[in-house]
Amino acid sequence: MAIEWDAVVVEMVLLAAIIYGSIYVGNLVEKRKQRHDGREEAKRIIRFVMNDLGKKQRFIDESIQYKDYKPFFTDMWDAVILGGKQTLLPFEMFENLQHTYSWMKYYNNELEQWEKNSSELTVLETLREVKASISQSLKLLEESKL
């Protein structure tokens, strides 16, 4: 019995094309799913941070109104950083948010120094800078297309 080599070669090429195609399509679908999940996660982070910054603005207004200066809790942003989720945000947005939360930490340091030997005016000026930074970050987050 003679082997029909041309038929065997054609069948093997078709089988290889089917296997390669299925792997390619499977990888393509998986990458799409990951991108979609990443965008959804980024949207949740943005909502999460916007909510936190909105609360911080109200906190600042109350602090100025009642002259009751208390430190900020930055645990929300720290959770984003420790979770490694900041990579889902565009770099400019991450940089802006990092700057805003750094202002909050700076205010906390000024507040701690004020209790020792600083003036209330310094703390108040720093608090206003924090508020301006928060407003800028909220504006950037609202304008984002994520």
Side-chain angles (χ1 to χ4, degrees), residues 59-78:
F59 178 79
I60 290 171
D61 292 337
E62 290 172 4
S63 293
I64 292 172
Q65 180 181 358
Y66 300 115
K67 296 192 183 295
D68 182 27
Y69 306 111
K70 295 178 185 167
F72 286 107
F73 293 112
T74 59
D75 54 343
M76 298 293 197
W77 182 246
D78 294 341

Side-chain angles (χ1 to χ4, degrees), residues 53-106:
L53 291 177
K55 289 177 183 177
K56 300 280 191 254
Q57 270 191 327
R58 287 189 296 279
F59 178 79
I60 290 171
D61 292 337
E62 290 172 4
S63 293
I64 292 172
Q65 180 181 358
Y66 300 115
K67 296 192 183 295
D68 182 27
Y69 306 111
K70 295 178 185 167
F72 286 107
F73 293 112
T74 59
D75 54 343
M76 298 293 197
W77 182 246
D78 294 341
V80 170
I81 298 295
L82 290 174
K85 301 299 184 185
Q86 76 277 9
T87 58
L88 298 172
L89 302 174
F91 180 73
E92 294 80 19
M93 185 179 295
F94 166 71
E95 187 176 40
N96 182 278
L97 291 172
Q98 185 62 35
H99 180 261
T100 298
Y101 280 92
S102 293
W103 264 112
M104 289 180 209
K105 290 178 181 185
Y106 178 72

